[in-house]
Amino acid sequence: MTGKTVMTYSKPHDTISGNNTELMSIPPGELSYAFTPMQVATAVTLMVGIYQIIMYIFHLGIISTLLSEPLVNSFTSGAAVYVFVSQIKDLLGIKIPKQKGYFKLIFTLISIFSEIKNTNPSALIMSLITIIILVCNNELLKPWASKKCSIPIPIELIAVVSGTLISKYFRLTEKYNIQDVGDIPIGLPAPEIPTVKLLHLVAIDSIAITMVSYTITISMALIFARKLNYKINSNQELLAMGLSNVFGSFFSCMPVSASLSRSLIQETVGGRTQIASIVSCLILLFILLWIGPFFESLPRCVLAAIIVVALKGMFQQAAQLLKFWKLNKCDAMIWIATFVMVVIVNIDIGLLFGIMMSLGIILLQSIRPYTCLLGHIPNTDLYLDISRYKAAIEIPKLKIFQYCGTLNFANCNYFKSELYRIVRVNPQKVREHRQKLRENGIYIDTQDLEDKQELRCVIMDMSALSYIDSSGVFTLHSVIQEFDQIDVQFYLVNCTSPIFETIKKCDLYLHGKLTFKIFATIQDAKLYFEKEHYSR
């Protein structure tokens, strides 16, 4: 990489000097400098490493909890499509321009279809032969061999070595114009301090790279953890990636992230522990230092075939969309939306869209929690949802309202509307109706109203109420007052300790203005109501 990338920023009356840095022709009051692509890359790597170490210090690995199973499944399935499409050109032996930016997958497919007439038959035949051999090994020979020997057949290594030897001694590149890997330099780059002066220029862009690289890595880790039944430490992953990036920035490395194709290949050949990674690194080091030129003749179509076959597991997991659809429509919508955005727009946009959609659904569910009317199971002290259990029956003049989730400033209005809808009484409308009767001169007999009134008491089951804030407490207070004005009692039952403590704090703050009748169980509240009502 010998070209230069111009990075411009405004900073009047200031100069910066350094290696490989030039002062460019610039407008007045603005300063522009040129840095080599390698300097920019190593600065980004260092900045990403710093961000990830900071995230580790503040235990921000918890953001992995935002990656639900549908999101990870969809994200990695979309990434698998990217990997597959990127290998088509090598499978067909064609050359297409490299696409950048958004919608690059679509542009890549357009380029492939425009160049498909130039398919290299020799490369296509070699790709098909390799794929057939690998599939036959994975589906037929590998299961049989696993019963005879615990050591798996290294078919991928055999394919690489065989492809290299065949290409070299039969001169496939010269005779059939099959593209090979090409030049593989020997040795490691000399250590060099990253350009620290670039850090503030790449700081903003590095944030997106940090999040995407971490998310891809943790997504792959979660997939293999579920498949192989082990646990991962999301915060430890941050530390490992951060230290790797900081150390790698001194050796001309790009920001590290999990490779979908390489991870799948390693898992396919039987890799299970860190020993597999150590062995892979030692082999790679051996190749870089000594035998790299031997693989220069390896046909790219052979590598593409190995990667495509390894993607089988990623494509198979897309079938779980049917499971998500049957279990939860919201999960299925997250899967579809994330996959479409990843494939059509870009990986980072798809990831961000999926996370935002997941958070939006969580927020919507917290604002509109589950509510129901409970009924009594005869000859028991059980109270169940009458819409789900036929044996549950309503108690005359008594409604038992169950509210699940949280009660806070965001869903107070929803709580009141659901309460009025389920108990089928809106105190405000009842008061307005009575007021109209009085205005029209119609005499209202209080005793007669009480006899005819269907609802005499509302019991709110708080066993599934997980959190309440001061706004929620004041809403409860206003609801109790409204029902009291139409001679309907309101009791609270199954109140957990944190909820009760919040109610007490609000009560003390208002100097005892809040009045709640709280019972331990629904049965206690029911017996109390019956005693009070029928003793009159």
Side-chain angles (χ1 to χ4, degrees):
M1 299 170 72
T2 58
K4 292 192 175 181
T5 302
V6 178
M7 303 189 68
T8 305
Y9 64 96
S10 299
K11 192 172 183 181
H13 311 299
D14 195 6
T15 58
I16 296 179
S17 60
N19 295 332
N20 301 320
T21 306
E22 298 176 359
L23 183 63
M24 308 297 291
S25 177
I26 51 173
E30 193 172 274
L31 218 54
S32 179
Y33 299 95
F35 301 93
T36 64
M38 187 57 68
Q39 287 178 311
V40 176
T42 54
V44 170
T45 302
L46 178 60
M47 197 72 243
V48 169
I50 293 173
Y51 280 147
Q52 288 171 338
I53 291 176
I54 292 174
M55 290 174 67
Y56 164 77
I57 293 174
F58 289 97
H59 295 276
L60 296 183
I62 195 174
I63 62 175
S64 63
T65 57
L66 298 177
L67 305 177
S68 62
E69 184 180 356
L71 178 60
V72 171
N73 185 290
S74 175
F75 177 70
T76 51
S77 297
V81 174
Y82 265 89
V83 175
F84 175 76
V85 172
S86 69
Q87 303 304 314
I88 294 178
K89 59 180 177 58
D90 292 328
L91 291 173
L92 302 178
I94 60 177
K95 293 182 179 180
I96 60 173
K98 187 175 182 180
Q99 304 293 338
K100 296 181 180 180
Y102 299 137
F103 308 103
K104 61 183 177 183
L105 191 67
I106 297 176
F107 293 129
T108 300
L109 288 173
I110 293 174
S111 299
I112 290 173
F113 283 113
S114 64
E115 290 292 326
I116 200 169
K117 60 182 179 295
N118 299 321
T119 299
N120 187 329
S122 302
L124 179 59
I125 292 172
M126 197 167 190
S127 300
L128 291 175
I129 292 174
T130 306
I131 290 175
I132 292 172
I133 292 174
L134 292 173
V135 171
C136 290
N137 173 80
N138 294 340
E139 302 298 328
L140 302 175
L141 186 58
K142 187 176 180 180
W144 175 82
S146 63
K147 298 177 182 178
K148 306 293 181 181
C149 179
S150 60
I151 301 176
I153 300 173
I155 189 65
E156 289 79 10
L157 179 60
I158 294 173
V160 169
V161 175
S162 300
T164 301
L165 293 174
I166 292 173
S167 176
K168 185 174 183 178
Y169 290 105
F170 287 92
R171 295 187 296 173
L172 298 183
T173 302
E174 293 82 0
K175 290 183 178 181
Y176 303 102
N177 196 30
I178 293 179
Q179 300 177 49
D180 55 24
V181 172
D183 180 55
I184 300 178
I186 297 177
L188 297 174
E192 184 179 351
I193 299 176
T195 308
V196 180
K197 299 167 186 175
L198 262 171
L199 294 182
H200 70 285
L201 296 177
V202 300
I204 302 299
D205 293 328
S206 298
I207 295 175
I209 297 174
T210 300
M211 298 309 300
V212 172
S213 63
Y214 173 67
T215 304
I216 292 175
T217 301
I218 204 69
S219 297
M220 291 300 299
L222 289 171
I223 288 176
F224 291 122
R226 293 190 188 107
K227 186 175 182 180
L228 303 177
N229 194 27
Y230 64 87
K231 293 183 179 181
I232 62 171
N233 186 327
S234 57
N235 223 46
Q236 186 176 331
E237 295 288 334
L238 277 174
L239 178 61
M241 293 181 68
L243 294 177
S244 298
N245 281 317
V246 171
F247 183 77
S249 65
F250 290 85
F251 293 89
S252 305
C253 291
M254 296 290 187
V256 301
S257 184
S259 169
L260 182 62
S261 56
R262 293 171 188 169
S263 301
L264 288 171
I265 290 174
Q266 180 165 301
E267 192 271 334
T268 301
V269 300
R272 293 292 184 272
T273 67
Q274 295 297 332
I275 299 297
S277 299
I278 294 174
V279 173
S280 299
C281 292
L282 291 176
I283 293 175
L284 183 60
L285 182 63
F286 182 70
I287 292 172
L288 289 174
L289 294 179
W290 291 289
I291 64 171
F294 170 77
F295 293 101
E296 290 179 353
S297 301
L298 173 63
R300 297 174 66 91
C301 59
V302 173
L303 279 178
I306 294 174
I307 293 172
V308 167
V309 173
L311 288 173
K312 175 190 172 184
M314 288 292 102
F315 288 125
Q316 283 180 330
Q317 72 173 10
Q320 294 190 36
L321 173 60
L322 296 176
K323 180 192 76 172
F324 296 135
W325 185 265
K326 292 177 181 178
L327 294 177
N328 191 313
K329 297 297 188 293
C330 291
D331 286 346
M333 294 304 298
I334 291 173
W335 197 103
I336 294 171
T338 303
F339 182 83
V340 170
M341 294 298 291
V342 166
V343 171
I344 294 181
V345 184
N346 206 1
I347 288 181
D348 54 349
I349 298 299
L351 172 63
L352 179 62
F353 187 83
I355 292 177
M356 295 301 293
M357 188 173 180
S358 298
L359 292 176
I361 290 176
I362 292 174
L363 179 61
L364 183 63
Q365 290 173 342
S366 67
I367 293 177
R368 302 176 64 86
Y370 173 73
T371 58
C372 67
L373 187 66
L374 300 182
H376 181 233
I377 305 296
N379 303 318
T380 71
D381 57 355
L382 296 178
Y383 296 85
L384 303 176
D385 186 350
I386 61 174
S387 64
R388 297 175 182 269
Y389 299 91
K390 294 181 179 179
I393 59 175
E394 288 191 55
I395 302 172
K397 300 184 180 298
L398 178 64
K399 299 285 186 180
I400 305 172
F401 172 70
Q402 186 179 56
Y403 183 87
C404 307
T406 62
L407 180 56
N408 51 52
F409 68 94
N411 58 14
C412 285
N413 291 332
Y414 176 78
F415 163 76
K416 293 181 71 172
S417 63
E418 281 295 288
L419 173 63
Y420 298 156
R421 180 185 66 83
I422 287 179
V423 302
R424 298 187 183 92
V425 172
N426 188 325
Q428 184 177 356
K429 291 184 178 180
V430 172
R431 291 199 309 273
E432 291 175 354
H433 176 68
R434 292 180 180 178
Q435 183 64 29
K436 287 182 180 179
L437 291 177
R438 293 190 183 96
E439 291 175 354
N440 293 330
I442 301 175
Y443 174 73
I444 301 176
D445 188 343
T446 306
Q447 184 62 40
D448 186 52
L449 278 175
E450 289 182 0
D451 294 336
K452 292 181 179 179
Q453 185 168 300
E454 180 182 350
L455 181 65
R456 297 289 297 145
C457 180
V458 175
I459 297 176
M460 178 178 172
D461 179 17
M462 306 177 73
S463 59
L465 184 66
S466 58
Y467 172 78
I468 189 171
D469 63 2
S470 57
S471 298
V473 176
F474 299 148
T475 300
L476 280 178
H477 177 62
S478 67
V479 166
I480 292 174
Q481 283 186 327
E482 288 177 1
F483 277 105
D484 184 62
Q485 290 172 359
I486 61 171
D487 301 318
V488 175
Q489 301 177 59
F490 198 101
Y491 303 153
L492 305 179
V493 300
N494 293 325
C495 187
T496 61
S497 296
I499 304 297
F500 180 72
E501 289 172 2
T502 303
I503 292 176
K504 282 183 61 179
K505 288 179 182 178
C506 294
D507 183 62
L508 291 174
Y509 177 75
L510 293 177
H511 307 292
K513 291 183 180 180
L514 299 180
T515 55
F516 296 96
K517 286 185 178 179
I518 302 177
F519 296 87
T521 65
I522 298 176
Q523 187 72 6
D524 292 336
K526 171 179 170 290
L527 294 175
Y528 180 83
F529 163 72
E530 291 175 345
K531 180 181 178 181
E532 288 288 312
H533 179 68
Y534 294 110
S535 63
R536 293 180 180 180

